[in-house]
Amino acid sequence: MTAIPAPIRSQKKFESSLPFWQRLTTNRNWIASWFMLPAAAFLILFLAYPLGLGVWMSFTNVRIGREGVFIGLENYEWLRDDSIFWLSVFNTLLYTLVASAIKFALGLYLALLLNRHMPFKAMIRAAVLIPFIVPTVLSAIAFWWIYDSQFSIISWSLRQMGLITQNINFLGDSNWARASVIIANIWRGVPFVAITLLAGLQTVSPSLYEAATLDGATNWQRFRFITYPLLTPIIAVVMTFSVLFTFTDFQLIWALTRGGPVNATHLMATLSYQRGILSGRLGEGAAIATAMIPFLVAAIMISWFGMQRRKWQQGENND
Amino acid sequence: MASVKIQDVRKSFGGFEVLHGVTVPIEDGEFVVLVGPSGCGKSTLLRMLAGLENITSGTISIGERVVNDVQPKERDIAMVFQNYALYPHMTVAQNMGFSLKLRKENSAEIDKLVNRAADILGLRNLLDRYPRQLSGGQRQRVAMGRAIVRDPQVFLFDEPLSNLDAKLRVAMRTEIKELHQRLKTTTVYVTHDQIEAMTMADKIVVMHDGIVEQMGAPLELYDHPDNRFVAGFIGSPAMNFLEGSLVGGETPYVETANGSKLPLAASRTGLDGKPVVYGIRPEHLEFADDGVEAEVIVVEPTGSETQIVARIGKQDLIAVIRDRRAVKPGDRVKLRPVAKAAHVFDKETGKRLIN
């Protein structure tokens, strides 16, 4: 009688007897890679490649119609001493911070209002989205008329009321121009913040508010201790997007002011376009665009850590 | 602790009345269960008591005070919700201490009260956890802890066990009852489960379509249901109902359409020939040679007892027997209702005529 050898596992490493080509078509890991390939190809072609090319161009002196050569950090050294570049950085930060803060405040307020029971709720909610769905350039042109130095309806109204004697030069004065583009951006951005936060508010169970009411919470305390903390993850997401969109804004500025007056509203994106495309100095334009990356990464990191804390609060994977 | 008086309370939603004048007196320290099928208005009544819904008319008083226009937080009540309504972003301790924090108690006092409640409920080593990290039964206990911490005049429970599995439900039932016996706080408990009502209540209020059908001690409702609805609602398996007409005399009985004679212990005069519904509980049917002939349809042994579904004429009824009798589907058996346990209801109004 021969003893039947017990199967010995984990002593010998498993080696597939299949030939290499067959393994590529049957092994689960390989199959997964095949399926991911089309999506990966798209991402590489349309996202990674242009990004990489942009970064590479920022290290060359390429111009439109002329091959460039690698010049190291020379573009960045130029920018370091360029006061217009630093003005555009300041403008971008100011534009992003002020517009995002106001968009958040207004959006949250609007979301809380829209979360109440009221007649024609669905229609009002849909109406709130209108500024968001109008193409940016169209709304910019509308604002352009509103801010027009001669025909501005705001100036006209204020004059009729006797508050001012001559038209406000909305887009011709540095500070007025900055305020004007920020207001236009807020008008466009609030619906996105409001509707997203509204979606977040609707995930909060009404019984939590009832429980808090019975626990003795006032309206403000219900907001402070229930609504706000439960909304933080969605606030983190929506404000990240809002900051990213605002920081990289181009259309609105270009349609309203083209960066003027005297570069007072030039953002990094518009300056990059002006230097890179209009002046043809692609390398320098690419360097300005690349300089935006650290700011954007910082914004994403902030929200990422914000959401991480939330996960811990929820007690997932943390026993 | 306090008594609660619900006096002729009505509630309308947009002109549609859902509670048609409900009056329920609740004694100090009593455990009252509002029970009824869904849509009967029991939860609405509880929410009105809590102050989460307005009272259309009538009065509700807690202690000596009419609370119709009193804010929920001023009513000194605590409520346990069906879905627990625990604050997901707060730990167990913060959940339980939230009302105290809002009341601006100092933190030492909050800790003391939270720990006391945690000891009562066996939550001591879970105080730092978040609701997501708790099992259903533990969450249920935290919800109760949140109520206990406040030491309110009245506890309100809104179907607190319906999200738990069957086994846990039985365990929590016992726990809630024990808790009440220990704290002796007036409790109003809403459920659609008549077994919960029977096992926990000092007083059951059976509601149906916005009215109180009957209220009383559990066994009183079981033994002497006022009407056909209560008779059918209380008890599991439910009471059997057989239609027939009443025949009086020395040995009164109810005669069904197919001629079966269902015995009664006593009758009342002037009811002869009246169309009635004969009600008999499953455990009051026994095998006897002089019984009514029936065909066995299904036999369901549960171990301690056996449920037998049998057909008399065109009507199915359920018998529960405790002895192990060899019956199988298709057998013809003779079942005799216990005459003194039989109920007779008016066929039209459903009111009790004899029992």
Side-chain angles (χ1 to χ4, degrees), chain B residues 186-253:
Chain B
T186 312
T187 302
V188 183
Y189 186 107
V190 162
T191 179
H192 60 264
D193 181 351
Q194 56 89 21
I195 295 184
E196 269 173 39
M198 289 294 287
T199 50
M200 298 168 83
D202 293 325
K203 178 157 82 192
I204 295 180
V205 179
V206 181
M207 294 183 65
H208 183 216
D209 285 346
I211 56 159
V212 173
E213 293 277 359
Q214 189 178 0
M215 75 185 121
L219 292 179
E220 190 187 319
L221 261 61
Y222 188 83
D223 292 337
H224 305 289
D226 268 351
N227 53 48
R228 189 176 159 177
F229 176 79
V230 176
F233 193 78
I234 300 287
S236 173
M239 185 185 280
N240 298 300
F241 295 109
L242 297 159
E243 292 184 1
S245 57
L246 198 64
V247 181
E250 290 249 317
T251 52
Y253 59 89

Side-chain angles (χ1 to χ4, degrees), chain A residues 205 207-218 221 225-226 229-230 310 312-316 318-319, chain B residues 47 50 52 72-73 77 79 81 83 85-90 98-99 101-102 129-130 132-133 146 150:
Chain A
S205 160
S207 63
L208 289 183
Y209 294 118
E210 291 178 348
T213 307
L214 294 180
D215 273 344
T218 58
Q221 284 168 328
F225 295 115
I226 310 295
L230 290 177
R310 168 68 178 185
W312 172 77
Q313 279 183 328
Q314 290 282 292
E316 280 168 15
N318 175 35
D319 202 17
Chain B
R47 291 168 60 82
L52 297 172
K73 65 171 179 171
I77 39 131
M79 184 157 167
F81 291 81
N83 62 0
L86 298 180
Y87 310 122
H89 55 294
M90 298 185 195
F98 186 57
S99 60
K101 185 176 154 192
L102 293 177
R129 297 237 189 147
Y130 287 89
R132 280 265 169 107
Q133 298 166 299
R146 203 166 60 177
R150 298 177 51 191

Side-chain angles (χ1 to χ4, degrees), chain A residues 142-177:
Chain A
F143 269 103
W144 192 51
W145 277 107
I146 291 172
Y147 293 143
D148 190 274
S149 55
Q150 284 188 55
F151 305 112
S152 164
I153 189 166
I154 302 174
S155 295
W156 182 83
S157 306
L158 292 174
R159 253 199 356 245
Q160 292 294 317
M161 285 189 274
L163 294 172
I164 53 171
T165 52
Q166 66 185 59
N167 281 1
I168 300 169
N169 192 4
F170 282 109
L171 299 178
D173 173 85
S174 300
N175 289 330
W176 274 115

Side-chain angles (χ1 to χ4, degrees), chain A residues 196-263:
Chain A
T196 317
L197 290 183
L198 177 64
L201 281 177
Q202 286 174 341
T203 64
V204 179
S205 160
S207 63
L208 289 183
Y209 294 118
E210 291 178 348
T213 307
L214 294 180
D215 273 344
T218 58
N219 274 338
W220 163 248
Q221 284 168 328
R222 279 202 294 278
F223 174 77
R224 166 74 187 78
F225 295 115
I226 310 295
T227 312
Y228 182 72
L230 290 177
L231 220 50
T232 44
I234 198 116
I235 289 175
V237 173
V238 74
M239 287 322 289
T240 309
F241 278 104
S242 181
V243 165
L244 297 189
F245 291 152
T246 315
F247 197 90
T248 57
D249 198 7
F250 171 81
Q251 291 184 65
L252 194 69
I253 301 288
W254 201 252
L256 273 178
T257 65
R258 311 242 152 156
V262 213
N263 302 321

